[in-house]
Amino acid sequence: GGSGSTGASGGKTPYIAIVSKGFSQQFWQAVKSGAESEAKKEGARITFEGPPTESDVEKQITMLTNALAKRPDAIGFAALDSRAAAPLMQQAKSANIPVIAFDSGVDSTVPVTTAATDNKAAAAEDAKHLSQLVGGKGVVGMVIHDQTSQTGTQRRDGFIDWMKTNAPGITLLPPQYSSSDLNKAADITKSIIAANQDLAGIYGSNEASAEGVAKGIQESGKKGVKAVGFDSGKAQIDAIKSGTLAGAITQNPIAIGQQVVVAAMKAIKGVQQPKFINTGYYWYDSTNINDPKIQAVLYQ
Amino acid sequence: MTMTPLLQVQGVTKSFPGVKALSNVHLDLRPGEVLALAGENGAGKSTLMKLLSGIYTADEGEFYLNGEKLEVASPKHAQELGIAIIHQDFNLIPDLTVAQNIFVGREPRWAHTFLNERALNVKAQELIERLQLPLDPKQNVGALTVAKQQMVEIAKALSYEAEVLIMDEPTAALNDAEVATLHELIRRFIRPNTGVIYISHRMNELKVISDRVTVIRDGQYVDTLDVQTTSMKEVIALMVGRSITSDATPVGVRDDREVLLSVSGLNTKDRLKDVSFDLRKGEILGFAGLMGAGRTEVARAIVGADGIESGTITLRGKQISIRNPAEAAKHRIGYLSEDRKRYGLLLEQDVGANIVLSAVSELYAAWGFLKSKSMRATAARYVKTLRIKTPSINQMTKNLSGGNQQKVVIAKWLVKDCDILIFDEPTRGIDVGAKEEIYVLLNELAAQGKSIIMISSELPEVLRMSHRVVVMTEGRVAGILTADEATQESVMHYATLRDDERPGDPAERDSFETEQASPTDVNSDQTAGKR
Amino acid sequence: MTASGVVTEKPISRDLASTIRGRLQQFLAFGGLIVIFVFFSLASPDFLTFSNVTSMLFSTVVIGTLAIGTTFVIITAGIDLSIGTGMSLCAVMAGVFIVHWHIPLPIGVPLAILFGGVIGLINGFNVAILKIPPFIATLAMMLAAQGLALVISHSAPIYFDTVPAYAAISTGNLIPGVKFPNAVIVLAAVAIIAAIILNKTVLGRYTYSIGSNAEATALSGINVRKWQIIIYAFAGLFIGLASVLISARLGSAQPALGQGYELQAIAAVVIGGTSLFGGKGSILGTVIGALIISLLNNGLQIMSVPQEWQNVVLGAVILAAVYTDNIRRRKAAM
Amino acid sequence: MTASGVVTEKPISRDLASTIRGRLQQFLAFGGLIVIFVFFSLASPDFLTFSNVTSMLFSTVVIGTLAIGTTFVIITAGIDLSIGTGMSLCAVMAGVFIVHWHIPLPIGVPLAILFGGVIGLINGFNVAILKIPPFIATLAMMLAAQGLALVISHSAPIYFDTVPAYAAISTGNLIPGVKFPNAVIVLAAVAIIAAIILNKTVLGRYTYSIGSNAEATALSGINVRKWQIIIYAFAGLFIGLASVLISARLGSAQPALGQGYELQAIAAVVIGGTSLFGGKGSILGTVIGALIISLLNNGLQIMSVPQEWQNVVLGAVILAAVYTDNIRRRKAAM
Ligand SMILES: Nc1ncnc2c1ncn2[C@@H]1O[C@H](COP(=O)(O)OP(=O)(O)OP(=O)(O)O)[C@@H](O)[C@H]1O
Ligand SMILES: Nc1ncnc2c1ncn2[C@@H]1O[C@H](COP(=O)(O)OP(=O)(O)OP(=O)(O)O)[C@@H](O)[C@H]1O
Ligand SMILES: [Mg+2]
Ligand SMILES: [Mg+2]
């Protein structure tokens, strides 16, 4: 790998290449905007890229390879499959390019630090709230955004595990997957409602799924189904305000983006930093949605 | 003559990559006449006509219509100028009906947008009836036989009310009876202000229908002759640059040959009823009949291209069942289809690939690898023997003239070493000179002990080649004649026998009288002397 | 005159018979759909409810609309890969027109639909004039539209909540009292109009003839290039319409939604009996094809088949449906 | 026999000329690729480095392998939509064979490749014997494979880290000292073998014949059904090979990876000049097509073009490349 020396700090604007798990989804756009605003502040140049779907491991690896070829001063990386990226991590290390992992851990000692949310715990939080909302019993459906990706499986398993251990009265339906397609999520929700007239609650595991759940409930005209979601977004916030969605978990993607850049700049300057930065998550519903602290983490 | 020609062509040159198709050709069509255009395969006839109808543009030269300079920009423009053409290669739209094809681009409409299908069908029906063609306006053209497709082309061209009508081998797929019908149509079309350019390789037909004949050779003008005062022999000599001497009777006729293939009681769902005949070793067995008599069906049924309902096929005394043409090939039976474009050629592949196609895995491969050198040598040899006019064996088959394409199909079956060859209209579109050479080849094959079934709509051809003639009508075998028995009259008699009709039944015979008479007429020039 | 012996006997009775047979064939193609429908109705009591059937029809709307437009293109022996992302781009443009520029709906919606027409027009131009193979021309458009949708929307959905009437286009109920979404009625109307255009107008006729034999069509004096452009542009209108229907349903223009829809729409067309080699096809078939796909999706979900198995079953059923349809046709053709 | 006037004079010299012209044409098609290459080399200093060119070639490997196999199918006028998810299924099977069942690599890898052949065989059977249109037959397989990959893997990647030698198939360096990944060498070898098979064997010859005119080929006594099945099965081997290459690269079998690859592979084939209507095409063209796609992706990323614009540019460049290629060909045909 002849990716020369970093040679960055010599007056040139530092360049940070960020390879995320996605690109066009709102969540990743919020991360991107956070990173961009921070970069502006710090006087750094960034690029932000991500594969079209969260299953496209190969595409991400290629993007990371290309990012390395540009000899950046630091790399921000949210691995879809951390083991697949291991050789590239080594390559970055040997080229003296510091790596900041974000959103999920990278199975490697290379990253200087990891800025991530515990998706499983966040999903468990959602499960806890939904269980309370339905009174600990009844049929609960799940619309999960992806079947194989880490965020998909963790948000599914975190939810299921919590329900299984803490809410014996709740019957979980098999999860259905929306491929992050809002339209499809709405159709799936309607099918779930049609097949389960006694449906008590339903969970959507990302923005598109949660919004689709809200749409589906609304279109089916079914009353009394409690729904909880994940992430934020305008339609989702509106649904929470109107009561179609009881509430949702949001992470703080803007802050994640900012932290990636902050950590990268520190790493470029050789400043020591903690191995793990918890980016946190928040439950929000109609009661606290106008709370400035919550408002700060919502993105539209 | 001093009158302005209806259409005049001057100094026209046209080249294709590697081929000079026309060089400095001139021609004039007088009002009220049928001008025949004669020349060997690849002489440039179709190319000239395509220039006239706006498909190609000339490299050099001028055209005049009624004395005015003519620049044909597109086929549509040609139509507007009053030039209609029947192409040698059909230009029909298979998924549309007969009526839709005839009036495509000129559909009766409401508000310029909505189709009046009823009016369209009525119009087509009227036209078809006026022309007396056996067509159903609502039938899909893709389902029609070549002959019927040809008729659709004829109907379409005649429907334009053009001044100049160009017909490029309109009769290649037609039977004598239909040829006569077409000639009648042409005669009715001709008025003092109209003219027809007529291309055909059936020389006797030129004599019947045309007033003058222009001969071109190798893309160059040779001469224009008055048909009344010229014998076809002279025309042929001008065309091919030598005179053709032909022995006009079958050779090697013997009745002691052993039976090789025996078909008995063959029935298909659609057409064939109880078809039985024997094919002997070294025999040329002719199949005659009117269009739709079922000859093609018999061939397709034998090689397994179509399913059969009942009946047995016995090869060398052993009953066999053939489910597809590949199995037929294993039994060394080959079938040359009458529809070269649809069933015969790989138009987008080169000449070489087409010629060796059926023999590739058998003769030109070792361990799955092609023997390119020997394939090319064979292809080159057949290009030479059959005098296929092509710049090289790498030429795309699509770019060959119609007759040369047909020669490629023939070559394909000559390469493959079959015991039984079924040739369906093998000489369709092939010029007189080359026909003779193909006849020679067929006779040689028969002499080598190969058996040949020759289906042909050209009765003279059947008569001069066949050791025996199977005459079919309406899916049945009406009669099997020996070479001695087979004459124009006897064949036509059997060919028009109806179901349950006893030969000589006067009431029924009546309606076919004209039909029998005209083909005899048409062919009198060539055949009268022979028989 | 001569040669009367060759005239086909009894053309009229044959005609009648073949017409009846044709009708029966379509009825039987419909039959495949009905078999699946009956199966699900028996298998799950939740399937055959008014609201579920309505929602199944509702979920057919977008694919159905796209598929109807594409049917025209496919009958010309073309293909349109740009319908999915083109739809996203149109939806974004609808958002720009209606939300950002405050153009009133009666003008904004037609504008969005026309924008679809422009996408089609460009495809048509590339195919007919630049002679780019349709697959590549529309693939390029697919990529470009995908990018442009993100660029124009700044990669964020555009919400129509300032224009509440917009949502009614899809989700409103024209028939008062009955909860039957407008979008389904729009689809039905569009299907009928498309069928009329395909079968009864010059445009439809040339669609078939170009697909059947473009060369012969050109030699018959028809301006094939012009008509190709018209047909692609016309099909583009359906992209625009689909974009309006989906964004009205979702209340937002989702710039990233749409990829993959092209394959589903083309599948609906092909399952409906339209040949990718052109010349053959029908709107009824396409609608049936689209219904089969959404019926299967809905039914398998209703039956709570695990999702990983749903695709396996979907594949097998599509194969079986088309295979039986083939056999039936071969039988009918005998 | 007389009249040799018709036989072409000097067929040999003319033959040679047309051969040279043909070579030149291919060289020029290559030209499009070179133009893009030179452009990127000038535009970005990071582009023309050994490691970047290597990694660009590396990223061509999977699409390239799939595209080469599909070229055969497309030349027969077929299509294969199952290559993407079929690859996932094969990769999962490789994982099952090698990781779960501990079959040694020299047997396990060929088994995985053969499994691809089985997928192709089934496609071929459905197309040739059941007469399902290729689009539908392979669409059904695409869905089924997608589902089965998830079912068999329990929707989780299978990691090959217990078999470190596996990764070397893709990422190892056969040429010692030079960091040139094996996968690229495999792609080159496979391309050469495929080209030989397409041009020099009976299989290749029949591939072209069937695609040119299947009916005429059948009537020439060739068992078209049998050969169709063979061709699909043969093409399937490339699915298997691609699955090995990708899973070795990633160190894991990703069951959800692969959808969308079919479109990219088909695009590479078509950009390379193979006609979707069959009868025409070449392996060299396909390789060039695949290179153009990955070159563009790589170059645009290296130049740090914003991602939303990348697809717009990609679409435009593909259009331009094919258009200029068209003009060139028309000129050459004059
Ligand atoms: N599109 C083309 N490209 C290349 N060569 C062509 C093309 N069209 C015709 N030719 C060549 O031009 C010559 C004249 O062909 P043309 O079709 O005019 O012959 P023809 O006189 O009609 O012959 P036939 O009697 O066989 O129909 C032939 O050598 C043919 O191969
Ligand atoms: N009246 C008809 N109705 C339906 N199909 C017909 C009809 N006439 C003919 N056909 C079809 O056309 C073909 C029958 O003509 P066929 O080609 O066998 O006759 P032929 O004796 O070879 O005559 P020719 O080759 O001169 O047309 C078959 O494919 C048959 O199915
Ligand atoms: Mg000709
Ligand atoms: Mg016949």
Side-chain angles (χ1 to χ4, degrees):
Chain A
S3 8
S5 71
T6 53
S9 10
K12 238 175 58 190
T13 38
Y15 166 46
I16 306 162
I18 302 174
V19 177
S20 89
K21 286 183 181 176
F23 181 76
S24 53
Q25 301 89 333
Q26 282 316 287
F27 182 83
W28 300 114
Q29 284 293 321
V31 173
K32 181 179 172 217
S33 73
E36 273 169 349
S37 66
E38 187 63 29
K40 210 175 222 169
K41 235 191 299 171
E42 303 243 11
R45 185 168 69 87
I46 66 160
T47 52
F48 190 98
E49 280 168 327
T53 72
E54 291 193 15
S55 3
D56 215 338
V57 183
E58 196 216 7
K59 182 113 196 184
Q60 194 193 36
I61 295 295
T62 302
M63 285 177 161
L64 185 59
T65 312
N66 292 342
L68 280 169
K70 290 189 274 187
R71 287 167 290 181
D73 301 298
I75 280 179
F77 181 51
L80 286 176
D81 183 309
S82 57
R83 285 195 252 183
L88 289 171
M89 293 289 101
Q90 282 309 318
Q91 200 180 316
K93 188 176 183 175
S94 58
N96 284 325
I97 302 172
V99 177
I100 315 298
F102 67 102
D103 192 66
S104 56
V106 174
D107 213 3
S108 157
T109 53
V110 175
V112 183
T113 181
T114 301
T117 311
D118 188 343
N119 271 306
K120 264 188 136 160
E125 183 75 18
D126 242 344
K128 197 171 88 194
H129 282 277
L130 186 58
S131 165
Q132 278 165 9
L133 286 163
V134 300
K137 59 179 193 300
V139 177
V140 167
M142 288 174 273
V143 180
I144 308 295
H145 64 280
D146 196 280
Q147 200 158 2
T148 53
S149 77
Q150 218 176 17
T151 46
T153 51
Q154 288 181 346
R155 289 181 192 175
R156 178 193 64 199
D157 297 345
F159 187 88
I160 294 175
D161 291 350
W162 192 92
M163 284 293 189
K164 280 202 172 136
T165 41
N166 301 305
I170 282 177
T171 316
L172 284 177
L173 295 172
Q176 299 282 339
Y177 301 90
S178 70
S179 315
S180 290
D181 179 334
L182 175 48
N183 199 37
K184 199 171 167 193
D187 286 339
I188 289 174
T189 304
K190 283 164 83 179
S191 299
I192 291 177
I193 292 171
N196 302 279
Q197 288 302 321
D198 55 346
L199 190 74
I202 186 164
Y203 161 63
S205 74
N206 74 344
E207 188 198 344
S209 306
E211 209 180 313
V213 163
K215 263 267 129 34
I217 293 174
Q218 202 188 329
E219 283 179 5
S220 73
K222 176 98 176 159
K223 299 272 180 297
V225 178
K226 303 290 180 210
V228 295
F230 222 107
D231 296 343
S232 72
K234 186 169 168 16
Q236 206 173 336
I237 293 167
D238 288 349
I240 287 173
K241 284 182 178 161
S242 75
T244 322
L245 278 183
I249 294 286
T250 182
Q251 302 173 64
N252 190 352
I254 297 172
I256 295 175
Q258 287 167 343
Q259 276 162 2
V260 171
V261 174
V262 170
M265 290 307 286
K266 279 186 186 163
I268 292 169
K269 293 174 187 138
V271 181
Q272 275 295 326
Q273 44 190 329
K275 261 308 209 197
F276 190 83
I277 304 166
N278 192 342
T279 53
Y281 54 86
Y282 310 84
W283 164 260
Y284 68 107
D285 54 21
S286 54
T287 60
N288 70 349
I289 195 160
N290 290 320
D291 192 327
K293 230 173 75 195
I294 293 297
Q295 278 295 323
V297 299
L298 296 184
Y299 55 96
Q300 312 203 335
Chain B
M1 260 186 233
T2 49
M3 64 173 138
T4 13
L6 179 57
L7 182 82
Q8 210 177 357
V9 172
Q10 274 182 5
V12 163
T13 298
K14 174 75 187 172
S15 297
F16 298 107
V19 183
K20 189 152 197 178
L22 293 171
S23 87
N24 196 20
V25 168
H26 61 94
L27 158 160
D28 43 70
L29 172 68
R30 295 171 187 163
E33 80 165 346
V34 176
L35 175 71
L37 187 59
E40 282 182 311
N41 294 134
K45 305 180 293 296
S46 300
T47 304
L48 184 56
M49 298 305 113
K50 284 178 181 165
L51 292 173
L52 279 171
S53 57
I55 296 169
Y56 296 149
T57 41
D59 300 341
E60 279 168 42
E62 276 122 42
F63 303 95
Y64 298 90
L65 186 68
N66 287 317
E68 278 174 51
K69 192 152 194 261
L70 183 67
E71 304 262 0
V72 191
S74 67
K76 190 182 175 95
H77 189 209
Q79 280 170 19
E80 285 160 6
L81 291 166
I83 303 174
I85 179 163
I86 297 171
H87 292 283
Q88 178 177 16
D89 299 317
F90 301 136
N91 273 293
L92 295 170
I93 300 153
D95 293 300
L96 297 190
T97 65
V98 170
Q100 289 166 355
N101 261 284
I102 293 175
F103 294 108
V104 65
R106 303 172 294 156
E107 298 86 356
R109 309 168 187 191
W110 288 308
H112 292 290
T113 313
F114 292 95
L115 300 166
N116 185 346
E117 202 69 7
R118 180 169 307 193
L120 176 77
N121 284 325
V122 168
K123 246 176 109 176
Q125 186 65 46
E126 277 169 14
L127 178 74
I128 286 166
E129 272 167 22
R130 183 157 60 82
L131 304 179
Q132 305 205 12
L133 296 171
L135 295 171
D136 170 4
K138 291 184 184 166
Q139 222 185 350
N140 258 17
V141 157
L144 298 179
T145 57
V146 220
K148 287 198 173 178
Q149 290 185 356
Q150 184 84 70
M151 291 174 185
V152 178
E153 284 274 13
I154 292 168
K156 186 175 167 187
L158 286 171
S159 73
Y160 281 109
E161 318 267 332
E163 268 182 80
V164 178
L165 179 59
I166 298 169
M167 303 183 129
D168 195 350
E169 301 194 32
T171 53
L174 297 189
N175 208 293
D176 294 339
E178 289 104 44
V179 171
T181 313
L182 177 66
H183 288 174
E184 191 55 42
L185 292 175
I186 292 172
R187 287 192 194 99
R188 280 201 276 149
F189 171 82
I190 287 292
R191 266 162 280 141
N193 62 337
T194 59
V196 171
I197 300 179
Y198 194 92
I199 301 175
S200 175
H201 289 297
R202 297 183 172 185
M203 303 314 290
N204 45 342
E205 162 181 31
L206 298 186
K207 182 100 188 169
V208 173
I209 190 65
S210 61
D211 301 305
R212 295 186 306 147
V213 53
T214 293
V215 179
I216 58 176
R217 189 164 75 219
D218 281 338
Q220 278 167 338
Y221 177 86
V222 177
D223 203 356
T224 300
L225 306 162
D226 219 329
V227 169
Q228 293 309 316
T229 58
T230 323
S231 84
M232 281 300 132
K233 278 219 165 66
E234 293 171 58
V235 175
I236 291 169
L238 285 177
M239 264 172 68
V240 302
R242 71 199 149 108
S243 59
I244 303 269
T245 47
S246 53
D247 49 356
T249 50
V251 294
V253 182
R254 268 172 27 207
D255 51 11
D256 59 342
R257 299 177 187 274
E258 59 178 297
V259 172
L260 184 65
L261 179 83
S262 173
V263 171
S264 126
L266 195 66
N267 283 291
T268 63
K269 206 159 188 172
D270 283 327
R271 301 207 46 82
L272 301 185
K273 279 163 266 165
D274 197 24
V275 171
S276 307
F277 64 90
D278 289 339
L279 175 68
R280 298 171 188 164
K281 194 167 188 302
E283 176 182 56
I284 298 178
L285 183 65
F287 265 66
L290 296 181
M291 186 193 75
R295 297 162 299 168
T296 298
E297 293 272 281
V298 171
R300 288 180 60 91
I302 292 174
V303 297
D306 294 330
I308 59 174
E309 285 233 298
S310 61
T312 56
I313 297 171
T314 313
L315 181 68
R316 292 190 188 87
K318 253 204 339 239
Q319 191 176 323
I320 55 171
S321 94
I322 297 174
R323 282 170 303 172
N324 55 48
E327 289 186 358
K330 282 210 189 95
H331 291 294
R332 319 208 70 76
I333 304 175
Y335 169 57
L336 180 149
S337 164
E338 63 181 338
D339 190 340
R340 62 169 172 256
K341 237 178 147 179
R342 193 156 25 142
Y343 296 125
L345 289 169
L346 312 177
L347 286 169
E348 307 264 334
Q349 303 292 324
D350 64 25
V351 171
N354 271 284
I355 291 178
V356 296
L357 177 62
S358 60
V360 162
S361 56
E362 191 177 271
L363 300 178
Y364 300 104
W367 305 102
F369 284 86
L370 299 171
K371 298 184 194 161
S372 301
K373 235 190 208 151
S374 100
M375 266 175 11
R376 299 175 62 83
T378 307
R381 182 154 49 84
Y382 278 91
V383 163
K384 206 160 178 196
T385 336
L386 292 177
R387 301 196 302 129
I388 298 172
K389 191 178 174 189
T390 172
S392 80
I393 60 167
N394 297 327
Q395 176 77 316
M396 234 205 263
T397 314
K398 196 170 72 174
N399 292 336
L400 259 52
S401 81
N404 285 302
Q405 289 179 358
Q406 185 69 26
K407 291 183 188 174
V408 170
V409 187
I410 293 176
K412 177 172 78 181
W413 287 111
L414 297 180
V415 172
K416 174 128 181 151
D417 186 27
C418 284
D419 295 339
I420 298 172
L421 282 164
I422 307 176
F423 283 159
D424 197 352
E425 313 283 0
T427 60
R428 202 187 133 199
I430 286 184
D431 69 50
V432 266
K435 257 184 203 169
E436 289 302 329
E437 282 150 25
I438 286 166
Y439 296 155
V440 171
L441 275 168
L442 293 185
N443 281 333
E444 277 172 13
L445 286 176
Q448 286 163 24
K450 315 254 181 228
S451 308
I452 295 167
I453 291 177
M454 183 162 124
I455 302 171
S456 172
S457 294
E458 283 183 67
L459 201 41
E461 174 174 278
V462 173
L463 296 177
R464 71 152 289 183
M465 291 301 295
S466 312
H467 300 178
R468 291 185 304 142
V469 180
V470 176
V471 189
M472 290 193 66
T473 181
E474 296 183 342
R476 297 175 293 115
V477 174
I480 300 179
L481 309 174
T482 63
D484 290 339
E485 293 163 357
T487 61
Q488 286 274 339
E489 291 71 26
S490 63
V491 169
M492 283 315 292
H493 169 71
Y494 283 105
T496 51
L497 270 185
R498 284 256 185 164
D499 246 345
D500 307 326
E501 188 196 348
R502 282 170 305 274
D505 184 336
E508 291 272 343
R509 299 275 304 146
D510 235 20
S511 55
F512 296 103
E513 221 160 52
T514 40
E515 199 176 295
Q516 281 188 53
S518 19
T520 326
D521 253 296
V522 174
N523 296 298
S524 53
D525 176 62
Q526 193 180 345
T527 46
K530 292 183 220 155
R531 306 220 149 244
Chain C
M1 264 301 302
T2 55
S4 53
V6 238
V7 177
T8 338
E9 329 99 83
K10 300 183 265 161
I12 292 147
S13 76
R14 192 171 272 151
D15 212 52
L16 194 73
S18 81
T19 309
I20 291 173
R21 201 196 285 145
R23 288 281 141 78
L24 207 68
Q25 276 194 30
Q26 285 188 340
F27 177 75
L28 282 169
F30 209 62
L33 185 66
I34 289 172
V35 168
I36 303 173
F37 192 84
V38 169
F39 172 79
F40 282 129
S41 304
L42 297 177
S44 166
D46 303 315
F47 181 78
L48 197 60
T49 62
F50 177 77
S51 79
N52 187 50
V53 171
T54 315
S55 79
M56 191 211 79
L57 290 174
F58 197 22
S59 70
T60 317
V61 167
V62 175
I63 294 298
T65 308
L66 290 175
I68 289 171
T70 316
T71 305
F72 284 82
V73 171
I74 295 180
I75 293 176
T76 68
I79 194 132
D80 194 346
L81 298 176
S82 69
I83 47 180
T85 62
M87 178 178 79
S88 322
L89 179 56
C90 281
V92 167
M93 290 314 294
V96 170
F97 295 147
I98 294 165
V99 179
H100 294 179
W101 296 356
H102 307 288
I103 297 176
L105 287 189
I107 302 169
V109 169
L111 270 183
I113 296 175
L114 278 179
F115 195 86
V118 172
I119 293 177
L121 190 77
I122 297 171
N123 284 335
F125 177 85
N126 290 337
V127 169
I129 308 295
L130 303 188
K131 303 279 172 213
I132 314 270
F135 187 92
I136 298 179
T138 60
L139 177 83
M141 178 57 84
M142 164 181 155
L143 293 167
Q146 190 171 34
L148 287 175
L150 293 175
V151 169
I152 294 172
S153 67
H154 305 288
S155 307
I158 302 178
Y159 293 95
F160 289 92
D161 43 8
T162 53
V163 197
Y166 189 70
I169 296 173
S170 267
T171 53
N173 306 307
L174 246 181
I175 312 169
V178 188
K179 285 209 105 195
F180 203 70
N182 287 348
V184 177
I185 299 169
V186 171
L187 175 65
V190 158
I192 292 168
I193 293 170
I196 290 172
I197 290 175
L198 187 57
N199 294 308
K200 305 284 178 197
T201 70
V202 176
L203 187 138
R205 176 60 46 81
Y206 294 165
T207 303
Y208 282 110
S209 42
I210 290 172
S212 193
N213 187 344
E215 210 178 316
T217 306
L219 291 180
S220 301
I222 290 158
N223 191 336
V224 168
R225 292 179 180 196
K226 180 184 98 181
W227 284 103
Q228 266 182 325
I229 295 177
I230 292 175
I231 292 162
Y232 274 86
F234 174 72
L237 297 177
F238 292 82
I239 302 178
L241 182 62
S243 84
V244 170
L245 292 172
I246 196 171
S247 58
R249 174 188 190 180
L250 302 178
S252 59
Q254 299 281 341
L257 184 79
Q259 185 153 34
Y261 281 55
E262 64 284 344
L263 197 64
Q264 286 188 58
I266 296 168
V269 175
V270 179
I271 291 171
T274 298
S275 160
L276 286 175
F277 292 93
K280 288 190 221 359
S282 70
I283 298 296
L284 180 59
T286 295
V287 171
I288 292 174
L291 281 173
I292 286 180
I293 292 179
S294 60
L295 187 63
L296 282 170
N297 275 323
N298 177 278
L300 294 171
Q301 279 163 17
I302 293 279
M303 285 181 64
S304 297
V305 173
Q307 191 147 358
E308 53 270 41
W309 283 105
Q310 286 183 14
N311 277 339
V312 181
V313 176
L314 195 61
V317 174
I318 287 177
L319 212 59
V322 175
Y323 176 59
T324 22
D325 197 53
N326 270 2
I327 291 190
R328 183 183 56 68
R329 273 187 229 192
R330 248 175 285 164
K331 281 232 179 87
M334 289 275 151
Chain D
M1 231 177 249
T2 54
S4 55
V6 228
V7 177
T8 336
E9 332 98 82
K10 298 183 266 162
I12 293 147
S13 77
R14 194 167 273 157
D15 214 49
L16 194 74
S18 81
T19 309
I20 291 174
R21 200 195 288 143
R23 287 282 142 80
L24 208 68
Q25 277 193 30
Q26 287 188 340
F27 178 75
L28 282 169
F30 211 60
L33 185 66
I34 288 170
V35 168
I36 303 174
F37 192 84
V38 169
F39 173 79
F40 283 130
S41 304
L42 297 178
S44 166
D46 300 319
F47 181 78
L48 197 61
T49 61
F50 177 78
S51 81
N52 186 52
V53 171
T54 314
S55 78
M56 190 210 79
L57 290 174
F58 198 17
S59 71
T60 316
V61 165
V62 175
I63 294 298
T65 308
L66 291 175
I68 289 171
T70 316
T71 304
F72 285 82
V73 170
I74 294 180
I75 293 176
T76 68
I79 193 132
D80 194 347
L81 299 177
S82 69
I83 47 180
T85 62
M87 177 178 79
S88 323
L89 179 56
C90 282
V92 167
M93 291 313 295
V96 169
F97 295 147
I98 294 164
V99 180
H100 294 180
W101 296 355
H102 306 288
I103 297 177
L105 286 189
I107 302 170
V109 169
L111 269 184
I113 295 175
L114 277 180
F115 195 85
V118 172
I119 292 179
L121 190 76
I122 298 172
N123 283 335
F125 178 84
N126 290 337
V127 169
I129 308 295
L130 304 188
K131 302 281 173 212
I132 314 268
F135 186 92
I136 297 180
T138 59
L139 177 81
M141 179 55 87
M142 163 180 154
L143 292 167
Q146 188 172 34
L148 288 175
L150 293 173
V151 169
I152 294 170
S153 68
H154 304 289
S155 306
I158 303 176
Y159 290 97
F160 289 92
D161 40 13
T162 53
V163 196
Y166 189 71
I169 296 173
S170 268
T171 53
N173 306 308
L174 247 181
I175 312 169
V178 188
K179 285 210 105 193
F180 203 70
N182 287 349
V184 177
I185 299 169
V186 171
L187 176 66
V190 158
I192 292 167
I193 293 170
I196 290 173
I197 290 175
L198 188 57
N199 293 308
K200 306 280 178 203
T201 69
V202 176
L203 186 138
R205 180 53 65 100
Y206 289 164
T207 303
Y208 283 111
S209 307
I210 291 171
S212 284
N213 188 343
E215 278 174 321
T217 306
L219 281 174
S220 298
I222 290 149
N223 194 335
V224 167
R225 292 180 181 195
K226 179 184 99 181
W227 283 102
Q228 266 181 326
I229 295 176
I230 292 175
I231 293 162
Y232 273 88
F234 174 72
L237 298 177
F238 291 82
I239 302 177
L241 182 62
S243 85
V244 170
L245 292 172
I246 195 170
S247 58
R249 176 186 189 179
L250 300 178
S252 59
Q254 300 280 343
L257 181 80
Q259 184 155 32
Y261 281 56
E262 64 283 344
L263 198 63
Q264 285 186 60
I266 296 169
V269 175
V270 179
I271 291 172
T274 298
S275 161
L276 286 175
F277 292 93
K280 287 194 233 344
S282 72
I283 298 296
L284 180 59
T286 294
V287 171
I288 292 175
L291 281 174
I292 285 180
I293 292 179
S294 61
L295 186 64
L296 281 171
N297 275 321
N298 177 279
L300 293 172
Q301 279 167 20
I302 293 284
M303 282 182 67
S304 299
V305 174
Q307 190 164 350
E308 55 271 42
W309 282 105
Q310 285 182 13
N311 277 339
V312 181
V313 177
L314 195 61
V317 174
I318 288 177
L319 212 58
V322 175
Y323 176 60
T324 23
D325 198 52
N326 269 1
I327 292 189
R328 184 184 55 69
R329 274 189 226 188
R330 250 175 285 163
K331 279 231 181 86
M334 288 281 150

